[in-house]
Amino acid sequence: MAVFVLDRNGKALMPCTEKRARLLLERDRARVHRAVPFVIRLVDRQAGSCEFQPLRLKLNPGSKVTGIALVRDTECGAAVLNLFELAHRGRQISEALTARSAFRRRRRGANLRYRVPRFLNRGNKGKGWLAPSLQHRVVTAIAWVTHLTRWAPVSAIGTMLHRFDMQALENPEISGVEYQQGTLAGYEVREYLLEKWGRKCAYCGAEHTPLQVEHIQPKVRGGSNRVSNLTLSCHACNQAKNAQDVCEFLARDPKRLAGILAQAKTPLKDAAAVNSTRWALLHKLKATGLPVETGSGGRTKWNRARLGIPKAHALDATCVGQVEAIEGWQRPVLAIKATGRGSYARTRLDRFGFSRGTLTRQKRHFGFQTGDRVVADVPKGIKAGTYTGRVAVRASGSFNIQTAQGVVQGIGHKHCRLVQRGDGYGYSYIAQQRKESESRGRAAHAALSLSGLNAGVSHEN
Ligand SMILES: [Zn+2]
């Protein structure tokens, strides 16, 4: 992976190779500016009026993961410098807000029933408003564009402008006026379901009994209210199934399960999330002032197939727009996971909204905060060893460290050394799939030596 380089005033220079970065650090010509992603700062050079090679930042916006690639434009295509995968947490945000609203509703009924109802107190959301979980996708993608343009002299942006045809995803032969006639044209949901499922319980086949509308994939497990996720069941089956997955519930009746799954359809939630954020993201990208190139999903796929590149979020980003050839894509990917900065609420609640315990008022203990990147050197005992990763702090001083190999629990704060303050993201490297097996060892070695370099960053940096 390329290493980002800043001049002594913090202005971006062309990224360099890992080897060159190591030499610069050894010869004391540079300082470590940031550990992950790795950024160094030269101590003896000012950018002045340098000429830079054209760098392009390419995005493949997705619902769960956005692929980002930093490439250098060459005469016959692009040379890949860095690959990133940014994992969003739209789902967690949505769940947290749903939970909060449920707790408030319970309190309203239980504790505040004599308070005068609130009335007309909702603000105007205005044009361009996005739900928080969608806004988050736009904001985090733009945050990383801003970071990367600060660390590298990016001169252009390329992004994929998805257009999912939701109706065609469901029914490939759709045309003309059918677009205006959704699944429910001329129906009510209940009527539609009665007819679709033959007026009997989908799970036991009971007829002539009151039927209830049932979620095939339960709502608590992420099932939606789409009509394709709904079925009919008798009261007894509905109660028995409860919040179980349909596969679990019908594990002993695979034939019936197959029938139900064949009638249900894959949810389109992810396509909907990308569809509703694509323009917001494009407008924000244009607001950076850099020229923005857009490419369609079809063109990306065509590029990928033509150049023989495997499907991955970050690699798809390299294939966005007009590219003739791509070199150097066989490199590790930095996975960036949006984790947030902890909870504002200091009370942990159980699923009924009652207090389960409280968090400490302060978030920082012994100079560390959950989310910081640390190196722990444990000299002896059963936990003896060196661990690098994201720390989760406790007031007792016994910390947990999330390493690449898993969580290590109960590490004393005295053994920990700070590498980088938490910034709301977790980082890990993914070794990329390669064509040639011999280059696999080389890249893995490179990733290892980089993490070794990171481990050596001192406290002052
Ligand atoms: Zn039944």
Side-chain angles (χ1 to χ4, degrees):
M1 301 177 83
V3 175
F4 295 109
V5 185
L6 305 177
D7 78 352
R8 56 180 297 177
N9 297 330
K11 201 167 164 291
L13 300 172
M14 278 304 282
C16 71
T17 60
E18 288 169 37
K19 181 181 177 184
R20 190 166 157 73
R22 211 171 295 126
L23 290 175
L24 285 167
L25 288 168
E26 270 169 20
R27 290 170 191 163
D28 214 21
R29 283 193 55 205
R31 300 279 178 275
V32 174
H33 185 78
R34 190 191 156 97
V36 194
F38 200 46
V39 184
I40 60 171
R41 192 178 63 240
L42 297 181
V43 288
D44 56 358
R45 194 168 146 206
Q46 272 170 299
S49 56
C50 310
E51 285 276 313
F52 296 125
Q53 291 160 300
L55 290 186
R56 186 181 293 269
L57 198 58
K58 292 181 142 192
L59 280 90
N60 167 24
S63 161
K64 291 185 180 127
V65 176
T66 290
I68 306 176
L70 182 68
V71 303
R72 180 165 51 80
D73 284 343
T74 57
E75 280 153 29
C76 56
V80 178
L81 295 181
N82 285 83
L83 296 172
F84 306 94
E85 272 186 20
L86 171 62
H88 301 296
R89 56 183 198 115
R91 179 87 196 139
Q92 284 110 292
I93 289 176
S94 159
E95 272 168 6
L97 291 177
T98 311
R100 184 181 73 179
S101 113
F103 294 146
R104 285 181 174 175
R105 193 164 302 125
R106 189 200 68 79
R107 280 206 297 275
R108 175 85 212 174
N111 313 340
L112 310 172
R113 54 195 300 180
Y114 297 113
R115 191 177 284 179
V116 182
R118 297 192 293 183
F119 179 67
L120 277 185
N121 61 349
R122 298 292 188 267
N124 181 12
K125 283 171 177 164
K127 205 163 169 270
W129 177 87
L130 286 172
S133 57
L134 299 175
Q135 184 71 23
H136 153 82
R137 291 179 171 102
V138 178
V139 166
T140 41
I142 292 296
W144 275 92
V145 170
T146 314
H147 280 149
L148 294 170
T149 47
R150 200 180 295 149
W151 297 329
V154 174
S155 55
I157 295 176
T159 181
M160 179 136 58
L161 195 60
H162 288 280
R163 165 103 177 61
F164 288 117
D165 187 334
M166 311 281 268
Q167 304 259 25
L169 282 176
E170 278 197 353
N171 172 13
E173 279 124 51
I174 198 167
S175 70
V177 73
E178 285 179 317
Y179 268 107
Q180 289 155 35
Q181 301 169 342
T183 328
L184 295 182
Y187 277 95
E188 281 182 354
V189 174
R190 244 161 232 280
E191 279 308 309
Y192 172 84
L193 290 174
L194 283 168
E195 212 161 297
K196 180 178 178 188
W197 298 94
R199 293 178 190 269
K200 53 187 169 190
C201 172
Y203 301 126
C204 69
E207 286 180 84
H208 310 296
T209 175
L211 293 171
Q212 303 174 340
V213 177
E214 223 287 297
H215 290 87
I216 297 172
Q217 169 80 348
K219 282 203 79 176
V220 288
R221 297 192 178 215
S224 75
N225 280 331
R226 283 188 80 231
V227 76
S228 61
N229 190 40
L230 300 178
T231 183
L232 294 170
S233 82
C234 63
H235 179 75
C237 288
N238 200 350
Q239 292 292 310
K241 179 169 176 279
N242 199 4
Q244 284 179 78
D245 192 275
V246 67
C247 303
E248 242 171 78
F249 181 60
L250 291 178
R252 289 189 192 155
D253 195 348
K255 206 174 154 194
R256 192 181 289 274
L257 175 66
I260 290 176
L261 291 182
Q263 288 217 45
K265 281 177 188 149
T266 49
L268 303 177
K269 268 194 300 192
D270 291 338
V274 175
N275 258 1
S276 44
T277 50
R278 63 200 175 114
W279 290 114
L281 184 61
L282 185 66
H283 293 320
K284 286 267 169 66
L285 287 174
K286 283 184 173 162
T288 57
L290 296 168
V292 179
E293 176 203 32
T294 59
S296 68
R299 180 166 210 167
T300 304
K301 199 173 167 188
W302 181 69
N303 281 337
R304 192 179 68 221
R306 188 169 49 95
L307 301 170
I309 291 175
K311 179 156 176 57
H313 297 289
L315 292 178
D316 267 6
T318 63
C319 297
V320 167
Q322 191 178 1
V323 275
E324 295 307 317
I326 294 173
E327 50 181 289
W329 54 267
Q330 302 96 331
R331 53 185 66 220
V333 179
L334 178 63
I336 304 166
K337 190 178 170 204
T339 55
R341 293 165 191 270
S343 175
Y344 171 77
R346 299 283 82 191
T347 312
R348 285 260 191 259
L349 299 172
D350 65 11
R351 66 199 178 94
F352 302 107
F354 291 104
S355 173
R356 191 161 63 86
T358 51
L359 300 175
T360 52
R361 186 93 342 231
Q362 88 233 33
K363 282 187 176 178
R364 191 167 287 190
H365 296 288
F366 306 99
F368 298 95
Q369 189 170 337
T370 298
D372 290 346
R373 192 176 176 82
V374 300
V375 179
D377 273 311
V378 185
K380 57 184 181 189
I382 48 169
K383 299 273 164 61
T386 305
Y387 310 100
T388 310
R390 185 175 186 272
V391 74
V393 300
R394 291 199 194 93
S396 65
S398 167
F399 296 170
N400 291 354
I401 297 178
Q402 174 81 51
T403 66
Q405 286 76 38
V407 181
V408 189
Q409 301 207 354
I411 300 292
H413 71 90
K414 283 181 184 161
H415 303 308
C416 295
R417 185 159 50 80
L418 187 73
V419 173
Q420 182 167 295
R421 282 266 170 238
D423 57 356
Y425 298 95
Y427 302 96
S428 59
Y429 289 96
I430 312 168
Q432 189 65 246
Q433 287 230 323
R434 257 151 293 272
K435 265 180 177 172
E436 313 87 12
S437 54
E438 24 100 34
S439 67
R440 188 172 300 155
R442 214 187 307 147
H445 175 74
L448 270 180
S449 61
L450 184 62
S451 58
L453 205 54
N454 294 346
V457 179
S458 72
H459 204 107
E460 289 75 42
N461 290 313

